[in-house]
Amino acid sequence: MALRFGRWLAFFLAPIAFGLWPMSAWAAPFWPVSALTTQARSIQWLFWLVMTIAMVLLFGVLAALLFVAVRFRARPGQPDPRPNYGNVRVELWWTVIPFATLVAVFGFMLRTVNDDTSIASNALPVTLVGHQWWWEFRYPQSVVAANELHVPVGRQVRLDLQSADVVHNFWVPQLAGKEEMVPGQSNVWTFTAEQPGRYDGACSEYCGTQHGWMRLTVIADAPQDFDTWLAAQAQPPASGIAAAHQPALQLYASNACGGCHTIQGISDGKVAPDLTHIGSRTTIAAGELANTPDNMARWMADPQTIKPGSFMPNFHFTQEQAREMAALLEDLK
Ligand code: CUA
């Protein structure tokens, strides 16, 4: 009897345990209850509302089930109970209650979707283009960045979400809900960061092999820090770069890196991340590696082992060449 009860308990508790698992610390940025903007709070409110309704229903049904199973269990010597067909009253209730619940949830969802869609006149426009498997950000003043979206605190950001290839999905749970990035279309999305900080995000629509490493980071800066960052990004690389990195720049030219990548004043490829200021980013390979000279050299030597299927090919650089390339890239601040 004790064992049977244990099995029953496990049967009911396992789903709850699995539900709690995403609350663990590493998942916090992706857990929908750490909202930090008006929009995210609105989603968080909806999440808790739907969760509460679902829990009331779940435990209500479980309690009824347990009660019926115990109260009307078979007893020795008892005949089979009389079958009971077509109870109109019961069938009406179990149709009306779920229907009314779903209509109510739909109404609340519409309210959240339509919450706060106005666009401020001073909103910062940023065009965000999804690529397999990285993010391109186009700011005013022809600034192009990748994978780290700097925004000013307290000023609305107006994103024009686009895609260069397949459908992606922009998602930074603490700041904003999910929005599709569809080829040939521009979806407008806004949010206003309220506190400086780093906010993790990810592509949330399966888009191919490296969907899992299509991460982005939103970096919310104080307004003056943002202006400083934008002004620095608008500049070409420092003038001493060419002289200091001749061998690397020769490798860059002879391997036609510039056919895909831009380094202002050196190449203007558009299909891969802009490298003009790659040294100023904190991660590489769309969030997979911290941006350190060692990791950059590893990436140069063998990107296909680090991120299989990525469109960055292996150039079979020697360790020495990989280090020279990494030194060049790290100097592109
Ligand atoms: Cu892009 Cu998944």
Side-chain angles (χ1 to χ4, degrees), residues 175-190:
L175 301 181
K178 297 177 178 183
E179 183 64 358
E180 295 280 75
M181 305 169 76
V182 182
Q185 187 177 322
S186 200
N187 286 342
V188 173
W189 202 238
T190 61

Side-chain angles (χ1 to χ4, degrees), residues 217-235:
T217 305
V218 174
I219 300 174
D221 300 316
Q224 61 274 27
D225 294 343
F226 174 77
D227 292 341
T228 308
W229 174 84
L230 193 64
Q233 296 283 312
Q235 299 298 316

Side-chain angles (χ1 to χ4, degrees), residues 155-234:
R155 179 173 168 197
Q156 193 186 51
V157 183
R158 181 208 142 112
L159 299 174
D160 283 283
L161 299 170
Q162 303 173 6
S163 170
D165 36 48
V166 300
V167 178
H168 302 275
N169 191 298
F170 173 82
W171 190 38
V172 185
Q174 289 176 297
L175 301 181
K178 297 177 178 183
E179 183 64 358
E180 295 280 75
M181 305 169 76
V182 182
Q185 187 177 322
S186 200
N187 286 342
V188 173
W189 202 238
T190 61
F191 70 88
T192 309
E194 292 169 13
Q195 305 158 21
R198 293 172 61 91
Y199 305 99
D200 287 329
C203 177
S204 123
E205 178 93 45
Y206 182 73
C207 55
T209 316
Q210 287 297 338
H211 160 72
W213 279 119
M214 187 166 166
R215 303 290 284 264
L216 81 153
T217 305
V218 174
I219 300 174
D221 300 316
Q224 61 274 27
D225 294 343
F226 174 77
D227 292 341
T228 308
W229 174 84
L230 193 64
Q233 296 283 312

